[in-house]
Structures are given as structure tokens and as C-alpha cells.
């Protein structure tokens, strides 16, 4: 949620800040603003709406060149999206400007105290208390003022602070909200995420909770919360700016759907060596501990939660270990039973999901081992975990997750096979056949992507339906949930995913000629039961869209709207069946004129509770 970009160097800061904000649009926002120090004062321009609104505002003003600035895309929490509530926020004197991601939980108490001390507030945001606290504590050193300020704050924050009295530096701080420092030549940066600064540098420092950084054009110094200097090594980003651009596709989402075969090939080739060996670099769990796992708990949110549901089926099937799965936001509120023999698998594309981080901390306190499945190297989740299996899917810019989902599935399948192998549960013939079929998955997805014209036609026929129902059984029940989520995320059509066996327990009452029902019915041991469900839907005039296996002519007796997929072992079908559902949602949303990459009210990374 939200996006911060800061710059100090020799260049004109304004275009760098605007470009950085544009590269963070995928995070979701409803207002935007910048603060620069062109001469001897801070100039702030901010407004509700998109970056183009800010550019129009800037174009109508004579703004001198500045070599330092901070900027922000805001996703409203406290206070409506308005010009006044947009960031940056200033103190009473106008000497200090602050941008902030996160939530200050004790802002009401702080605001009351500051008002009693004579401070004047302009906005309804929690953020404004920070600028006034910095003003209160400022005594000639911005770093010291920020250090004192963050000791008063309860909640989560990533901060960028500038002062006209120290116009050569940015002070940054973080706690439970992502913030990186970019290291350049004669210039340095802060940002919420790598794409914002990747054009200028690939060297980044990941700030830890409680750390603050002081940036000038030539130096970056990091301190802990007590003010002691810390030695930090810079990481080098391995992906390129091109991978964070559309590459000729109309939308990032479509590009990322098409990247899935490549991502899966990379995961499979790097994690499976030859016919039978596994490479789970990063798992950091000794063989003896693997054999001692008594139970597994998966925690995740949104699309990652659906990946975890598939993981539950696969892990239990092959490892014979009991697996439970929790929404991260609920895990710590149910007093979970966890011990030293519990393995907690945390799944998050960004590694910054606030609820998942909170769940992991709860599990660690109870003694569990934490293994994360994550895409972003050096993220907060990776740093607090005992082991981490990176998906290395590259940047995912579209808010609606696609390639991250199938990458998470691939890693979970590999983990299940690895644990089963270590426990002696995979016979050599079974292991060989499973891995051979696993290696076929990318090619099957490529085949499906070649049928997108068929999916476009089906989308055109169904884009005006008032609601959708998605049905699946066994391994493809989570696929139904994910398919429904994709549709409602980007097209705003109400959609529900259900286990098909539950249809008669309520959802069947909704079925009529105005509802489309997507039935996931590939070749499987529950196929006949899915066919029975389809017959029940047709009897009530529901419009059936079927996902079926090539060669299944019988399905044509029930519907003409069929998306065929190549034959694949049932166990791997969730990685495959989700792809046509991603495309179906995409084409419906495009034909409805929706903003596919930046759907309303959504943020890519939910970094606040």
C-alpha cells in the first residue's frame, strides 16, 4: 500500500520523483504529492487522484530546480482522499515535510497532546502527527529529531523526512512497513519498492525494523533505534528494468500471465536436478528436523492463501503430515496450538504482508520453525524466517496476482516431494513419473495460452452477467476460489468460489439464466461428480462455462462454452486449470473497460492491518 520515493543528488529531483511514483502505481493509491527544496524553502504540491493530476498542477506553476525531494502515492486509511489529506505533510513552521506509509495507532493521543502544546493541524491523517513531533524535537539535528519521534510512535511506518534547515539530506526510518535505500554515484534514493529506482541503481540496502538512515548525495549512514551506527551491506538486484515494463503487452497482467511458462521452467530446472534429485537451497531445515515435523500450518492472505489450500492437499497426500491452513489475519486471534515440532509455511509474494508477518511472529514466539515462500529477496518475511524458498518470478506489477500464484504452487509441490523423499515415502518409480509430469507443466500452459482467442470469445458472451459462480472439487476447489477472486478483483462482477459438493447446501438457490457458472472439470477421479453438478446447473438454466480435458466429447452434451486443456496428471491440474480462468477474468475486465492493472480500492502489497 502507498508508495514512497525520495532523491538527493546532483540532478533535478522532480522528474525522478514523478517517474518513481509512476513505477509504484501498481501498489494502489488515491492521492499523490511531492516536496522539494528548490532554494531556501520547502515547496509542496499534492492533490487527490492520479499522477497526471499532479503533473497538471506542476505544469501550471513556476517551480525552480531542486536536487532533493520526497514524494508519495497515498492509499487512504485515516481521512478521505482529499488534497489536504494527501502527503507530504508539514509542521506548523513549514520547515519540515514528511511522507509516511503505515498506520500510527496512537495518533489520536499524540494529536491531542500536540494540540495542547500549541500545534495546529490541517488534515485528518494519522501522518501529520509525525511532522509535528519532528518539529517538537528538532534542536539543530534532523536525525536526532526523527529518532526521538519514532520512539513515540505505536504502529507501523516507513518515513521520509526533509527539512529546509538541512537541505542536503533525507532522513528515513521504518518499522513493519517496507523501505529500501538505493545507492548511486553522487546520488542516493529511498523507495517503497525496487522498480521505483531501478533505472538509476541496482544497489540497495534493506532497512530493518527500528533503523533510520541519513542520506546525502555522497553518503548513506544507518543507525539503530538507540542512535548507534550500524554497518550495512548493499544487495545487488538481479532483474532488469525491462522486466518491470509491459514489453509490448497491453497490460502488465497479460504480460505476467504469459510469463508463467518461463517462470515455471526456471523453478523446475533449478529445484529438480536430473531425474530424481532436489535442490531446496534456502530451506535451512536439517533432515532430522524434517523427519520430526508433527504438523504443518500454512498462513497466507488472498491469492497466496489459495496457493496454500492447494499446498495442503499436496503436502498431506505425499508427506502424510497433518496440514492446516489459516488466513494470516485470523491466525493469531485463535490461540493456535503450535510447538517446536510444528512447521509454519508463510506464503507472500511481496514478503511485506502485514498480517502474514504478524502471524509469523506469533508462531515464532510459540517455538515453531518458519519456512517462507516468497518472491522478493531480502523482504521482511524472508528476514524473520528460519528458511526461505524464493520463487524468483521477477517483479509482478499487476495488482491481481497471476505468475506469483503458479510460482508459489510450483515451490509448494517441490517442497512436498522433497519432504516425502526425505521421509522415504516416494518410491523411485513414483518419484520419476511425478517429476517427468511436473516438467511437462510449462508446455501445457503454453498450449493454453495459444487458445486465448477462444477464451476472448467466451468472455465477450458473458461480460454482462450479473454474477458468476465457480465450482471445483478436490484439488481444484482452491482453483475455483482463485478464479472467482480474479474476476471480482479486476472486473468488479460479484463472483463466488465453492466446492462443487457444497452446491446443494445453499448456492444452488442462486442459479438461474442470469448467472454464469464456471465448472472446473478436467479428467480426474471426481470427474463424474462434476458432471452431475453440471447437469443440475443446466436443469436450472444456469449458463455453464467448462474447463475440460482435450478429447472429452461428453462435456459437449452439456455446454458449448468449453475451454479445453491438454491432458495432465490430476495432481498437477491446479497449476494448469487456473490459467484459462486468469485469461477469462482479464478479457471480461478489458471488455468492460476496467483498469486491469490498478483495480479500484486495491493495493498490490497490503502492508497495514
Amino acid at each position: 500500500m502507498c508508495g514512497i520515493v525520495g532523491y538527493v543528488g546532483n540532478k533535478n529531483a522532480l522528474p525522478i520523483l514523478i517517474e518513481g511514483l509512476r513505477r509504484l502505481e501498481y501498489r494502489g493509491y488515491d492521492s499523490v504529492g511531492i516536496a522539494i527544496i528548490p532554494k531556501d524553502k520547502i515547496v509542496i504540491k499534492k492533490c487527490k487522484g492520479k499522477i497526471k493530476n499532479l503533473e497538471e498542477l506542476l505544469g501550471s506553476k513556476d517551480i525552480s530546480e531542486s536536487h532533493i525531494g520526497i514524494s508519495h502515492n497515498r492509499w487512504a486509511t485515516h481521512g478521505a482522499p482529499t488534497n489536504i489529506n494527501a502527503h507530504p505533510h508539514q509542521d506548523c513552521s513549514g520547515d519540515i515535510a514528511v511522507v509516511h506509509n503505515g498506520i500510527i495507532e496512537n495518533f489520536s493521543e499524540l494529536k491531542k497532546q500536540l494540540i495542547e502544546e500549541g500545534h495546529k493541524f490541517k488534515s485528518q491523517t494519522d501522518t501529520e502527527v509525525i511532522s509535528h513531533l519532528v518539529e517538537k524535537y528538532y534542536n539543530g539535528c534532523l536525525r536526532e529529531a526523527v529518532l526521538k519521534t519514532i520512539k513515540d510512535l505505536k504502529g507501523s511506518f516507513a518515513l521520509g523526512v526533509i527539512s529546509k534547515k538541512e537541505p542536503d539530506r533525507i532522513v528515513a526510518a521504518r518499522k513493519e512497513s517496507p523501505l529500501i535505500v538505493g545507492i548511486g554515484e553522487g546520488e542516493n534514493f529511498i523507495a517503497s519498492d525496487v522498480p521505483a529506482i531501478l533505472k538509476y541503481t541496482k544497489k540497495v540496502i534493506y532497512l530493518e525494523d527500528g533503523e533510520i538512515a541519513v542520506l546525502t548525495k555522497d553518503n548513506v549512514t544507518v543507525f539503530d533505534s538507540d542512535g548507534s551506527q550500524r554497518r550495512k551491506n548493499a544487495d545487488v538486484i538481479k532483474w532488469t528494468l525491462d522486466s518491470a515494463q509491459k514489453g509490448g503487452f497491453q497490460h502488465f497482467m497479460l504480460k505476467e500471465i504469459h510469463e508463467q511458462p518461463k517462470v515455471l521452467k526456471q523453478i523446475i530446472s533449478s529445484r529438480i536436478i536430473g531425474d530424481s534429485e532436489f535442490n531446496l537451497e534456502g530451506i535451512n531445515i536439517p533432515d532430522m528436523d524434517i523427519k520430526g515435523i508433527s504438523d504443518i500450518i500454512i498462513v497466507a492472505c488472498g491469492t497466496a492463501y489459495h496457493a496454500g489450500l492447494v499446498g495442503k492437499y499436496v503436502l498431506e497426500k505425499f508427506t502424510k503430515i497433518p496440514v492446516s491452513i489459516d488466513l494470516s489475519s485470523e491466525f493469531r486471534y485463535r490461540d493456535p496450538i503450535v510447538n517446536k515440532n510444528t512447521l509454519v509455511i508463510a506464503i507472500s509474494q511481496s514478503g511485506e504482508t502485514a498480517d502474514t508477518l504478524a502471524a509469523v511472529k506469533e508462531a515464532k514466539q510459540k517455538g515453531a520453525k518458519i519456512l517462507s515462500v516468497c518472491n522478493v529477496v531480502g523482504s521482511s518475511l524472508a528476514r524473520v524466517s528460519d528458511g526461505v524458498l524464493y520463487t524468483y518470478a521477477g517483479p509482478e506489477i499487476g495488482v491481481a496476482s497471476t505468475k506469483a500464484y503458479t510460482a508459489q504452487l510450483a515451490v509448494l509441490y517441490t517442497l512436498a516431494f522433497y519432504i516425502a523423499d526425505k521421509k522415504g515415502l516416494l518410491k523411485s518409480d513414483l518419484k520419476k513419473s511425478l517429476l517427468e509430469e511436473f516438467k511437462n507443466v510449462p508446455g501445457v500452459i503454453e498450449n493454453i495460452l495459444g487458445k486465448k482467442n477462444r477464451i476472448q470469445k467466451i468472455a465477450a458472451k458473458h461480460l454482462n452477467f450479473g454474477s458468476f459462480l465457480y465450482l471445483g472439487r478436490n484439488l481444484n476447489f482452491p482453483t475455483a476460489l482463485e478464479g472467482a477472486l480474479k474476476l471480482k478483483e479486476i472486473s468488479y462482477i460479484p463472483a463466488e468460489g465453492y466446492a462443487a459438493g457444497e452446491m446443494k447446501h445453499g448456492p444452488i438457490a442462486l442459479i438461474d439464466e442470469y448467472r454464469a457458472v464456471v465448472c472446473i472439470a478436467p479428467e480426474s477421479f471426481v470427474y463424474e461428480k462434476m458432471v452431475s453438478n453440471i447437469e443440475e446447473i443446466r436443469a436450472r438454466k444456469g449458463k455453464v462455462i467448462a474447463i475440460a480435458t482435450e478429447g472429452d466429447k461428453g462435456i459437449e452434451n452439456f455446454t458449448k462454452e468449453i475451454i479445453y486443456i491438454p491432458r495432465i496428471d490430476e495432481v498437477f491440474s491446479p497449476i494448469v486449470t487456473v490459467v484459462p480462468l486468469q485469461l477469462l477474468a482479464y478479457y471480461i475486465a478489458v471488455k468492460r473497460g476496467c483498469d486491469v492493472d490498478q483495480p479500484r480500492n486495491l493495493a498490490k502489497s497490503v502492508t497495514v492491518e
Side-chain angles (χ1 to χ4, degrees), residues 158-209:
L159 304 179
V161 186
I162 58 174
S163 170
K164 79 168 190 179
K165 295 179 180 178
E166 300 180 42
D168 64 339
R169 66 194 59 219
I170 299 172
V171 178
R174 72 149 283 178
K175 178 192 172 190
E176 298 176 3
S177 194
L179 194 65
I180 63 171
V181 175
I183 310 298
E185 294 291 332
E187 59 185 5
N188 291 304
F189 310 80
I190 60 170
S192 298
D193 203 355
V194 171
I197 59 174
L198 194 57
K199 179 178 178 180
Y200 305 99
T201 182
K202 288 191 172 185
K203 293 172 66 177
V204 301
I205 293 172
Y206 294 96
L207 295 181
E208 305 280 351
D209 279 356

Side-chain angles (χ1 to χ4, degrees), residues 82-199:
T82 64
N83 294 346
I84 289 176
N85 288 335
H87 296 211
H89 289 286
Q90 287 181 280
D91 64 325
C92 296
S93 67
D95 291 347
I96 292 161
V98 174
V99 290
H100 162 232
N101 289 351
I103 291 178
I104 306 305
E105 295 171 359
N106 61 334
F107 90 98
S108 294
E109 168 192 332
L110 292 170
K111 185 174 182 177
K112 180 181 178 182
Q113 178 185 328
L114 287 162
I115 289 173
E116 289 173 355
E117 293 172 2
H119 291 265
K120 308 288 187 191
F121 282 77
K122 297 178 180 178
S123 77
Q124 291 78 50
T125 68
D126 55 338
T127 301
E128 195 178 352
V129 300
I130 301 170
S131 57
H132 290 284
L133 285 170
V134 175
E135 177 187 25
K136 173 182 175 178
Y137 290 125
Y138 188 79
N139 192 23
C141 179
L142 188 60
R143 174 175 67 88
E144 288 296 328
V146 174
L147 270 172
K148 290 178 180 178
T149 294
I150 64 176
K151 291 181 187 299
D152 287 349
L153 304 179
K154 294 178 182 178
S156 60
F157 54 81
L159 304 179
V161 186
I162 58 174
S163 170
K164 79 168 190 179
K165 295 179 180 178
E166 300 180 42
D168 64 339
R169 66 194 59 219
I170 299 172
V171 178
R174 72 149 283 178
K175 178 192 172 190
E176 298 176 3
S177 194
L179 194 65
I180 63 171
V181 175
I183 310 298
E185 294 291 332
E187 59 185 5
N188 291 304
F189 310 80
I190 60 170
S192 298
D193 203 355
V194 171
I197 59 174
L198 194 57
K199 179 178 178 180

Side-chain angles (χ1 to χ4, degrees), residues 506-550:
I508 199 167
L510 299 172
I511 295 173
D512 57 26
E513 64 267 36
Y514 304 110
R515 176 178 287 260
V517 186
V518 180
C519 297
I520 306 164
E523 187 177 84
S524 71
F525 83 96
V526 292
Y527 173 77
E528 286 77 14
K529 294 186 181 297
M530 278 301 305
V531 169
S532 295
N533 291 132
I534 292 170
E535 288 187 289
E536 290 169 332
I537 295 162
R538 285 185 69 245
R540 289 156 181 84
K541 300 182 180 179
K543 306 302 182 185
V544 175
I545 301 170
I547 310 297
T549 302
E550 287 177 351

Side-chain angles (χ1 to χ4, degrees), residues 289 292-295 338-343 363 366-369:
D289 288 348
I293 295 171
S294 62
D295 64 308
V338 175
N339 58 51
K340 65 179 182 179
N341 295 320
T342 300
L343 175 64
K366 292 176 177 284
K369 289 275 188 194

Side-chain angles (χ1 to χ4, degrees), residues 243-273:
S243 61
Q245 295 178 336
K246 291 179 184 175
F249 287 90
Q250 185 180 357
H251 296 97
F252 281 112
M253 183 180 178
L254 186 60
K255 175 187 179 235
E256 288 154 7
I257 290 171
H258 279 263
E259 286 177 339
Q260 289 175 113
K262 178 183 175 182
V263 170
L264 293 171
K265 284 177 187 176
Q266 177 181 301
I267 291 171
I268 294 168
S269 64
S270 63
R271 296 294 185 183
I272 298 171
I273 311 303

Side-chain angles (χ1 to χ4, degrees), residues 279-290:
N279 171 27
L280 262 73
E281 179 186 4
I283 189 171
N284 201 28
I285 302 175
D287 290 355
M288 288 299 294
D289 288 348
I290 285 176

Side-chain angles (χ1 to χ4, degrees), residues 345-408:
I345 301 174
I347 311 172
S348 169
Q349 188 280 139
S350 68
E352 303 294 347
T353 308
D355 288 317
T356 301
L357 287 168
V360 163
K361 290 174 183 177
E362 174 80 7
K364 287 194 80 166
Q365 287 177 357
K366 292 176 177 284
K369 289 275 188 194
I370 310 297
L371 177 63
S372 62
V373 177
C374 182
N375 189 36
V376 179
V377 176
S379 62
S380 297
L381 179 60
R383 294 199 298 272
V384 300
S385 300
D386 298 299
V388 55
L389 298 176
Y390 286 115
T391 55
Y392 295 117
E396 188 177 64
I397 306 300
V399 168
S401 182
T402 52
K403 67 174 179 177
Y405 177 74
T406 50
Q408 288 161 357

